[in-house]
Structures are given as structure tokens and as C-alpha cells.
Amino acid sequence: MLASYLMSRRARFIAVLIGLGALCGSPAVAQVLKMDYQNNRMSGSLRNGAIDVSAQQQRRIYEDGSNVLQPVAVVRVNGIEVGRLVGAEKGGGSPAAVVQIAEMDPANPYPEVLLSSFSGGAHCCNQIQVLTSDRSGQTWREVKLGPFDGGPSPAQDPLGNGQLMIVGVDNRFLYRFDCYACSWAPARIWQLQGDAFVDVTHRPEFKPLHRRKLQRMAEWFQQKSPGSQNGFLAGYVANKALVGELYDGWDRMIQRYDRSSTWGLEECKGNTDDNGKCLGRQIIYSSFPEALRAFLVDTGYITPSGEQLIR
């Protein structure tokens, strides 16, 4: 029963990502190469103007006999190699990688090349790498993002203007106030700016995306005995904050949270040793609302004084 529930919850979590993708409606879908067993493809190529990409899942056998597959994408401009992206190693199971030519930074003369690859493991991990040029188009560099929960996915177009971004969920909510399968997380959006990814989740132009997420979450309140109260409500309040409705979300949370749960009421401000002992400052909160407020401040959803962010 538990395994079935977890699989169902994970499927719903993936469906949320798919829903975000449907809202984004990326115009560059034709420039995506998927390398996995499901698509029966372990190599391929893409081309966009002067840029061409050849990619493959390279197999390697180590001295200890272990066998791994690792995606490699070689990028050329006018036939001259300008760089290559080497993705996450995947030992056993099904390898999975996505290669994409995507316009992610209009400040330079060429579109970017993205490699998103899956490392394997429980709830983990999607590793994102992007090869991008400088303003002159002469120098190329690699920019990394992640790792994140879930499998590989292409960049998306959340504003419908042709500039693609990384759209996912805020992994900081997973396990924070409940189990992985019981946690809900708001969308998180990353924009490539030069040689770095910038978190643009809170910009007002993305409110329609966050409102779409809230419409799906509203079903939870219609249930007579919904489970996973605190793991859900943490994500709900954060989503409400993203659309400028923090106080309404907070009031609904106060009415519905599980007062008997102690998950997330202890926090270590610092590192832990190999046995999980806190080496920094140990904080014990008296209630879920107190812990949630501190968490939302730390993650930038509300101000340090507990007020709605104004964007």
C-alpha cells in the first residue's frame, strides 16, 4: 500500500511539471533530442543555423567491472568545435538525457545548447548544463544548474516570447515538513543571464503560472479528510505569497494545519556530522506556523518582518 501511494504521489508530482510545461508552450520543441531506451535512441544530432550538436550516450566499464553510461554533447559553430557538455553518469537501469538548442540569453549572437541528464537514485537527480557564448560570440562557457529532483527535461517558454528558461519546482520544500510523497512545492523559474542562472520566480509576469498551480491545489481543500496537511500547506502558503495573497493563504493554513505533527520543528543552522548530529546552532520551533514563517523568510517568500513581498 505504501509503495503504491508513493508511486501515485510521484506520478502526480511529475504531472505538475508536465502541467507547467503545457502552460509554457515552448516554441523550440523541434530542437529537442531525447536519448533513452523509451525513445529507442542513444545518439543523435541537432542543427540550428550555424550551430550543430552531435550527442551520444557513451559507455564506460571501470576497473572494478562497473558499467556506466554518460551523455556527451559536442557543439560546433560553422563546423568548428566550441565546447562539449559531459552529463551525469548513470550506472545500471535506464539512461536518460535531453539535448536542446534553445534561445536562453538574447544578449549574445547564438542560441544556447542545453544538456539535461539523469543520475539515477531515489528522487534524484536532474543535472542541467548549458553551453553559452559571450556577447562577441567568440568565447563559449559552461553554466551549471542543479542537481534537482526528477528526470531530465528541456527548457521552457513561460512567457511565450521565445526566451526559454528552466521551469521546475522548489526542491527546498521536499521533506521539509513531511515525507517526500506528502510534500508540495511551488514552481521555481531560472533565467540565464550571462554566465549565471538567476532565480526569477517572484517576478510579477509569472503570476499566471503560479495561479494555475493554485487552481490545481484548490482540490485539496474540497476533501473531507485530506492527508499530508503540513507538507501541502507549506507549499500552498508559498504559492499564495507568489501571487500577492500571503495573508489569505496564511489564514487558511492556521485553520487546517496538523497540530500533532512534529516534522520540521527541529532545524540545524550549520553542518551535521556523519551521524547526523548538528554541528551548528540547533533550533527547536514550538509549532508548525513558527517553523513555516522562519522557512519562508529563509527561502525569500516573505520579508524578515513577516510581510508580503512587493514586486
Side-chain angles (χ1 to χ4, degrees), residues 210-225:
H210 301 310
R211 287 198 180 278
R212 185 71 61 86
K213 179 73 175 288
L214 281 171
Q215 289 174 1
R216 291 192 292 268
M217 299 181 80
E219 298 177 2
W220 185 89
F221 291 96
Q222 307 306 317
Q223 302 176 54
K224 292 183 178 180
S225 301

Side-chain angles (χ1 to χ4, degrees), residues 240-274:
K240 293 287 278 185
L242 288 170
V243 299
E245 300 173 2
L246 166 66
Y247 306 118
D248 177 67
W250 190 266
D251 290 344
R252 297 194 78 178
M253 177 275 296
I254 290 295
Q255 296 172 3
R256 302 295 292 269
Y257 81 92
D258 181 0
R259 289 162 173 76
S260 65
S261 174
T262 59
W263 195 308
L265 299 190
E266 293 187 19
E267 181 181 10
C268 177
K269 292 288 188 178
N271 297 323
T272 58
D273 62 20
D274 294 338

